[in-house]
Amino acid sequence: MKQFKTVLIGLYNSKALGVRQLAAVLKEHGYPVSIIFFKDFNSLNAHSPTEREYDLLLDRLRELQPDCIGLSVMSSLYLAAAQELSRRLRAAFPAVPLVWGGVYATLFPQESAAYCDYLMRGECDEAIVDLVNTLALAAASPDGTPEPAALARVPNLCYRQAGELICNDLNPLQTDLDGLPFPDMGGDDKYHITNGQLTNGDPQLSSISYEMSASRGCPFVCSYCSSLNLKRLYRGKGSFVRLRSVASTLAELQRAKQKMKNLRMIWFWDEIFADDEDWVREFTREYRKKIGLPFNIWGHPLKINKRVMDMLVEAGLHQVVVGIQHGSPRIRKEIYFRRETDAQILAMSRILAAAKVPEVIYDLILDSPFETVADLEATYLLCRQLKKPFQLQLHGLHFLPGTDIEKIALEQGVLTRQDLQRLHDRPIEEQYRSFLWWTHTGSKEDRTRAYWKNMIYLTQFNWATPLLPIFKAGFFQTRPGTMNLLRTTGNGWNLFRRVSRKAILRLKPGR
Ligand code: B12
Ligand code: SF4
């Protein structure tokens, strides 16, 4: 075992696929690595780290005595926490190089560089080894710092030289996903800090679900998603969508089955699961025999067909989450860059219902400054025609930094640069409070918007369907409070179903 010790920090993320992947690769090259999962992710109750949690983290790091600290900054939604954490890390460990990586660091090297010593852009499955080799060599040298010439040879790396940020070229996209070791899991080199407590060990081992990707990349170009920015960054560096083999996917799941005694459910975190029908045929045949657990996926209206869905359900598909995102064709096409038509969305909903997928969830992104009352009404009308059963998840639009939707907002004059900066700078608590069921100003238009959002939400419930024509009466339109009550009742029911399903899964005897 080599001497140079890395500690990786997964922020708001105890699954942290990227961090686990990097740890596995470094270990394969003989380096000791610890992972600290710093705070769980809970979108319903998101909050900044507490003083106690920061102290627990810094104390554990003092005990671990790392030679290098890596922080994964996957999302800009918790940027304020990443920045604050980095300030504290640099103050407590001024001699230990702090490296940022992850999607935010990839897309915003200049902004990220102010908070760390090095940052790495893009997929670092191989590049991380080059960086650690370079830092380890330098640590053993008399002056302890790496030569600029050595840093210049590390792919994906950004570093400062004479006050200027230099960003090296990116490695091509990782094509041989099967060649990577499985993400690191288990062992006594993992720590979990959340709710003011630190526990030794990998939280994954006691989890009831295992999350993994059978692919990387997404073929679509939605304007609100950073996937498009990543795709542009990697232009000319290989095919953006890549698939693992069925054998490698199942081997990872078999390892999870062996290691996780409470395992009840698999989550595929592929942006779009299984775009390839032959792959699905082979996968579903083997999955049933070798894994046999219910699994959940994310789908896309244009990638769902009857044959694929039938095979997946037969193999144990439990839940599919599909982004419809808006019922207004104008918003979908011109603002969100989504090309599916109402007819294609409705056809997809009929396929999912016919295939009898046990849980179908449709995502909608509402509440944006582009939206008119007529767009909300169009969404209600589309949702009324979706084939039941389905559940709806209503989200507000997040302006992720650098995405095309920010440019559209500026061009159309619906937001200014200052507005966007203010939105980015909000702490995590406020980021997650951005969806407004209710009205800010109490104006007539806001009330009407609140009314339509509630009507949209109610379309998923069988009990509400016959009542919807009644709710369209003027009486309800002017009483958003009553509508809120109805919606909250439905929401409570959905929550109850989810919690009880989780409880049932926990109680179910092993396979
Ligand atoms: C799976 C996924 C999720 C999962 C799980 C994430 C997790 N816990 O790991 C769930 C559903 C929970 C989720 C939630 C959210 N997600 Co998400 N998610 C993804 C997705 C589809 C894949 C991520 C993944 O696992 N990739 C596979 C691993 C291997 O890659 P990776 O993490 O990028 O790591 C590699 C590199 O980044 C780098 N790297 C990573 N960390 C580090 C650290 C160091 C030190 C170094 C050197 C390198 C490095 O090396 C790794 C190996 O190559 C991405 C899309 C994408 N293309 O990345 C969106 C994505 C990352 N998510 C995104 C967002 C916005 C979110 C949410 C904020 C959504 C929300 N509104 O709540 C939350 C935040 C959750 C959280 N705690 O971070 C955005 C982030 C963009 C942004 N600017 O913020 C993305 C890019 C999608 C998008 N809409 O644009 N997400
Ligand atoms: S389909 Fe999903 S992952 Fe792909 S670009 Fe659109 S939002 Fe991003």
Side-chain angles (χ1 to χ4, degrees):
M1 178 75 81
K2 293 171 184 161
Q3 290 303 311
F4 191 87
K5 174 158 197 178
T6 305
V7 175
L8 295 172
I9 302 175
L11 192 53
Y12 287 103
N13 196 348
S14 60
K15 302 290 181 174
L17 301 188
V19 163
R20 288 174 185 274
Q21 189 66 66
L22 298 181
V25 174
L26 283 173
K27 285 183 176 179
E28 203 177 55
H29 284 78
Y31 285 107
V33 186
S34 293
I35 305 181
I36 302 181
F37 302 102
F38 189 58
K39 290 194 69 69
D40 283 350
F41 174 66
N42 179 353
S43 59
L44 295 177
N45 183 19
H47 44 80
S48 306
T50 60
E51 285 301 317
R52 180 172 160 73
E53 287 167 338
Y54 281 127
D55 288 346
L56 286 170
L57 177 75
L58 296 179
D59 286 348
R60 184 45 47 112
L61 281 167
R62 280 185 198 103
E63 285 164 32
L64 291 171
Q65 300 190 349
D67 298 300
C68 167
I69 300 174
L71 180 64
S72 186
V73 189
M74 189 180 102
S75 168
S76 47
L77 260 73
Y78 45 71
L79 196 53
Q83 292 169 343
E84 178 56 26
L85 173 58
S86 299
R87 269 191 286 270
R88 292 177 188 233
L89 289 171
R90 291 180 103 182
F93 304 96
V96 181
L98 174 62
V99 188
W100 271 30
V103 174
Y104 178 79
T106 299
L107 297 177
F108 293 93
Q110 288 290 349
E111 289 78 354
S112 305
Y115 298 91
C116 55
D117 302 297
Y118 303 105
L119 70 94
M120 298 197 84
R121 296 181 301 152
E123 297 185 354
C124 295
D125 313 86
E126 288 175 8
I128 188 82
V129 181
D130 295 312
L131 176 68
V132 171
N133 281 340
T134 306
L135 294 178
L137 216 63
S141 72
D143 82 344
T145 48
E147 294 288 330
L151 293 173
R153 284 193 295 273
V154 179
N156 298 39
L157 182 70
C158 296
Y159 60 101
R160 259 180 305 270
Q161 199 182 336
E164 208 191 314
L165 188 72
I166 316 269
C167 283
N168 296 340
D169 200 10
L170 297 174
N171 269 339
L173 283 160
Q174 188 75 35
T175 40
D176 178 20
L177 298 181
D178 285 5
L180 294 172
F182 297 150
D184 193 20
M185 172 163 66
D188 53 11
D189 49 15
K190 313 228 164 15
Y191 308 91
H192 183 209
I193 297 174
T194 204
N195 298 327
Q197 305 252 337
L198 179 145
T199 17
N200 282 6
D202 189 347
Q204 181 62 35
L205 290 185
S206 55
S207 175
I208 61 167
S209 64
Y210 184 76
E211 291 73 11
M212 68 167 295
S213 304
S215 64
R216 283 189 188 174
C218 168
F220 296 101
V221 292
C222 305
S223 63
Y224 50 83
C225 176
S226 300
S227 182
L228 176 53
N229 304 67
L230 293 172
K231 205 175 283 173
R232 284 181 186 140
L233 185 72
Y234 269 110
R235 196 168 283 152
K237 295 266 178 193
S239 163
F240 194 60
V241 182
R242 291 142 292 153
L243 205 53
R244 285 168 67 175
S245 70
V246 168
S248 156
T249 306
L250 294 177
E252 183 177 335
L253 289 175
Q254 281 174 318
R255 180 193 67 151
K257 267 184 91 168
Q258 275 160 13
K259 289 196 172 200
M260 296 171 61
K261 56 181 184 322
N262 298 328
L263 183 63
R264 301 282 186 272
M265 171 78 77
I266 307 299
W267 253 111
F268 286 100
W269 272 351
D270 305 71
E271 281 134 306
I272 309 290
F273 183 75
D275 197 0
D276 178 326
E277 201 168 320
D278 291 335
W279 190 95
V280 173
R281 188 164 297 109
E282 186 189 341
F283 167 81
T284 47
R285 224 177 18 232
E286 299 293 313
Y287 182 92
R288 230 186 133 72
K289 279 188 274 173
K290 295 187 170 151
I291 311 297
L293 288 169
F295 63 96
N296 302 335
I297 61 169
W298 294 327
H300 188 283
L302 295 178
K303 294 288 181 189
I304 282 170
N305 75 51
K306 177 87 170 70
R307 287 180 306 277
V308 164
M309 279 302 138
D310 284 344
M311 287 190 274
L312 290 172
V313 170
E314 176 64 22
L317 175 65
H318 176 79
Q319 182 188 89
V320 58
V321 182
V322 182
I324 292 178
Q325 314 307 22
H326 216 286
S328 149
R330 176 187 75 88
I331 298 264
R332 268 202 320 270
K333 188 158 180 253
E334 292 169 25
I335 309 290
Y336 291 174
F337 297 173
R338 296 189 58 114
R339 54 190 163 84
E340 54 276 20
T341 61
D342 281 359
Q344 285 169 316
I345 291 171
L346 294 174
M348 168 213 56
S349 86
R350 287 192 292 272
I351 291 173
L352 293 179
K356 297 201 175 355
V357 182
E359 259 183 47
V360 175
I361 299 186
Y362 296 127
D363 275 342
L364 293 170
I365 307 179
L366 306 178
D367 222 6
S368 78
F370 303 101
E371 197 177 68
T372 62
V373 169
D375 293 322
L376 285 170
E377 189 171 353
T379 305
Y380 164 76
L381 292 173
L382 182 73
C383 290
R384 280 217 65 179
Q385 297 171 71
L386 291 168
K387 189 88 179 153
K388 286 199 180 59
F390 64 87
Q391 292 175 45
L392 290 179
Q393 287 184 161
L394 272 52
H395 307 272
L397 174 65
H398 284 291
F399 285 90
L400 297 177
T403 48
D404 281 24
I405 204 157
E406 289 201 328
K407 290 183 210 137
I408 304 174
L410 292 171
E411 275 161 23
Q412 296 198 357
V414 297
L415 290 175
T416 63
R417 279 200 189 283
Q418 290 78 356
D419 292 333
L420 289 171
Q421 195 57 50
R422 252 196 314 276
L423 290 174
H424 301 160
D425 290 344
R426 290 174 304 169
I428 191 163
E429 289 84 348
E430 285 177 39
Q431 303 268 9
Y432 279 95
R433 237 181 277 131
S434 58
F435 187 79
L436 301 174
W437 281 107
W438 186 230
T439 156
H440 267 326
T441 61
S443 72
K444 187 163 181 289
E445 180 167 331
D446 274 353
R447 280 165 173 256
T448 316
R449 285 172 186 275
Y451 165 79
W452 281 115
K453 281 183 275 184
N454 280 320
M455 286 292 273
I456 291 165
Y457 195 73
L458 289 173
T459 56
Q460 66 188 299
F461 302 110
N462 281 329
W463 58 265
T465 309
L467 302 173
L468 288 173
I470 302 171
F471 296 155
K472 278 188 94 175
F475 172 84
F476 288 96
Q477 298 208 19
T478 53
R479 278 173 187 73
T482 314
M483 293 303 290
N484 263 350
L485 194 69
L486 287 164
R487 186 251 311 155
T488 319
T489 312
N491 201 14
W493 170 239
N494 267 354
L495 216 67
F496 169 74
R497 281 202 309 187
R498 273 188 208 167
V499 171
S500 50
R501 202 172 66 77
K502 256 195 158 175
I504 291 166
L505 274 176
R506 260 184 201 289
L507 290 174
K508 267 193 183 163
R511 297 132 266 141

